[in-house]
Amino acid sequence: MSGTNEGTFEALRTQLREAASTFADGPDALEGILLGMVDDVDRAVREPLEVFPVCHHSPASAVAMARRLREKQPKVVYLELCEDMAPLLTELRNCRLPVAVQAYATEVDGFPADWAPLSVVAPITEASAEYQAIAYALDTPGVELVLVDRSSDHVFQWDARAEQPAAPDDPEAPPAEEEAALHGDAVGVEIGDLRPRFAELEEHLLRHGRVRHWSEWWHQYVELPLGDADHDTYRQVMFLIGSLFRRLAPGDPHRVRVDEDRERHMWTRMREHLAVTGTDPADCLYVCGAFHAASDVEEFGVHGADTFEIGPRSGTKWLHGLIPSSHTAIEAQFGLASGSVSIAAALWTKNLKRTRVKPYRLTGQAGTKKTAPARTAPGKTPQPVPQAPTADQLTGFLRRPPVLDQLDEAELLGWSVDIVRAARRNGYLASTADAIAVFQTSILLAGMRDRARPTPYDFQDAAVTCIEKDAVPGRRDVRRLVEIMMGIDRIGQVGYDALPPLARDVHDRLAPLNLKLQQRGVQRALLDIAGRPELEACSDVLWMLRYLMPQGAARPIMGERRLGERPIQESWDLALGTHQRALIELGYEGVGIEQVLEQRLRRTAYGPQATAAVVLEAVEDATLYLRSRRLADELGTHALAVLASERSVDGAPEVLRRVRRLLAHYRTSEPVLPSWIESFVKAGYAHYCTLLPTAFADEEATVRQVGAMLGFLFSMEGLALSLGCDRTQLELAVMQSHPQEPSKVALLWAAQVQLGRLSREDLRARCDELLGNPLALPAYPRYLSGFVHALEPVPALADFVVEAVSNAFGRLPDPVLLPWLPTLVTTLRSGGADLAPLLIHEAGRIFPGRLAALDEWVPPWREPKDAPRADRAVRAGGRRGAVLPAAHPATCDAVATLLGWDGAWQPEIAGAEGATLLARHPQTAAALEVLMATA
């Protein structure tokens, strides 16, 4: 805008000076603030390069922007947005708004490592002034769009975290909802962050405006009055509001410095562009937040000082893309009231109908109606409308009383009926009487707040009061239902053409599933791999997505991935459209999903907190998902080094479980074992032998961990000895172990039995001694817990453990036995899930199979030891064994021939001969009895 308007606001200055003297009883700081605000407005209005102040996601700003662009037809549009995001803006036409422009960096160079990954987002909605400017500039020939704000790298260079220690995360913070978490932990860049930074000022405005939050105040006192305002009035009011909030902002040195540096950066970039291109400032439009439009820095304006130096960027490699956004995500990230962005979108639609302003939309924009771009006659270029000298519009606007809109009964009645209908669908017992109550209460609340027409916020309060009462039957309360009804929480979507290469590759590889993967919600995928072998490639992709993406993006319903197994049929629930942001951010880590998975596995295995168990898990995942022998060998070699550096036994159970699984896989799928796993077994044998005495004496080492160590030593002993290990090392380690805790003592006894240093008779005698000692009875259950864990290294003791538990149930007093039972159950469930089947199987072998035989059954450990072996066999099963040969003579003849018995059948004494046969071969008879299940 050209010309000088030095006396334009002189009348307003005079009135404010008089008001300051009257209310403050003399000149003071109030006069300086009020007159300074007028000076800020005057300076911004007189700037030759037209400054257009906006507020983010403001329908009034969007309407004023669309109207001004059609009038002025600027050749250059300067926009307050990170300058490195410019190449992405053309991809907006391939998306359905709202979306967010994102800058992302996984590896940092020049920033603290704990900041990674770095993410900056700038959400864009259709009801925003910046989208109108982008659509105009990209679809109008000859118009240039220039982003002038600091780069994404400078956002973090100027971050306060660089100067202050990081605050710990709040462990009690509630988890974010799905839509609210679409932006994750990204730093939000908002055009027109127009909100009071002075808490007392915001509280004062809310209290005197009779509203609950800032979004409602802005809607009532700025959006509605400026919705129909002319261009000059809109600009001057927004300049005034920006100046007010700027001058009453708290004195935060860092934030003030960042704000001023942003303004210096933007004006420096604009002057550089004007100097290079030679563009007339009158043909340009500068779109920025009202807070920055009323700036007082020396660099302000096309004739400002050139004293600001823009520093270099760091070595961080930034990647850029578009991610889906939503109204809820924008509200959550920028601290807006719930539903305010949806209400603003509804107001934007209403303003377009009322003002008949034709908005700008990108050609081919997804989710919007197709409109033809504005065209001019051939050979003609649009000329800016001559602008008359700006007059003082502020004085009349500030002195004008608020316009009270007339009550639109039809609109309010429609709202009342719709909310009752929505409430009934969500489980509320709402009726027509509630609709009438909501209608009348809305009018009542608006009247109490000096409004003739209820706003959506008044209606929301009335609906909560009349319908919700004191209970919420469903997952949505009435306040949320009103938000959905008013504007609907729109969730954006990034089109296929705007996706990174990895995301497009995933969609292409899953194309055989014939699903609409871009669609939000859960879709069921059925994979008949046996009938359609080509679907196995889809299965591989889905399993990798399950590993890399958040829970719920790809969830298997039927089917599992195990080492050495091939899939036959699978069923999946897919929600890739809902988790599109996560899929896009995978594309920032690599060009292929296999590459990203390999990087993740390497990062996990080589992390500072990685243990041998963690590295072995990475080896298993590399074999399972990537089928990469090269990566598995590399990570396995690293696992060997990690195990050698460990000085604790915390991960012993997990190490044992994964080594066993990998050994079983390699033994069945490959001719020879990999060299790394042979070295791992050999080093692990020596490592755990060294740590065994310390672990037995360490109070922090649990019996499960020590049992896992012994399990590794005993189960890997054959392979370790074949590789050159010495069994004497294990024997010495057991001899040097002197535990005090009863469960570990029982574990040591089991190890001695396995090594042959303790017989079963001696072990049984020790247990009988414990049961006979009244002082040791309270600790006996802990011994039993140790015996249960001993099944891991010594599974052959299963029958003895059954005997020990049975004796405990028979001889322990109830005050000792009953409190121990929960401990036994929890032990088996938490640490002995693999041991319980072994105990159950052994108990089923020892105890009689039928209830009728229980009365005559004698436990094997209670048989008289002085009786001959044959007599005991006959007494234990002679009566039943005598029936066995007569019932199955052919089988008996075959067994007799096999055993060398030449006797002939004598029916009258068959039972006696059968008893003789059993006396000679009691073990065979007992095995046959179990096999044939004969009572």
Side-chain angles (χ1 to χ4, degrees), residues 413 416-417 420 431-443 466:
L413 188 59
S416 303
V417 173
V420 168
S431 63
T432 305
D434 293 305
I436 298 173
V438 172
F439 179 85
Q440 298 295 341
T441 306
S442 301
I443 298 175
C466 299

Side-chain angles (χ1 to χ4, degrees), residues 158 246 255-266 291-292 295-297 299 308:
W158 299 351
R246 186 185 188 93
R255 188 162 188 178
V256 171
R257 184 175 70 252
V258 170
D259 288 334
E260 293 180 349
D261 285 348
R262 289 182 65 186
E263 293 154 6
R264 295 185 179 101
H265 184 285
M266 289 187 285
F291 188 90
H292 299 295
S295 175
D296 57 354
V297 296
E299 290 80 3
F308 182 71

Side-chain angles (χ1 to χ4, degrees), residues 121 451 505 600 690 776 830:
V121 298
R451 305 167 189 165
D505 179 62
R600 292 273 185 96
T690 304
S830 61

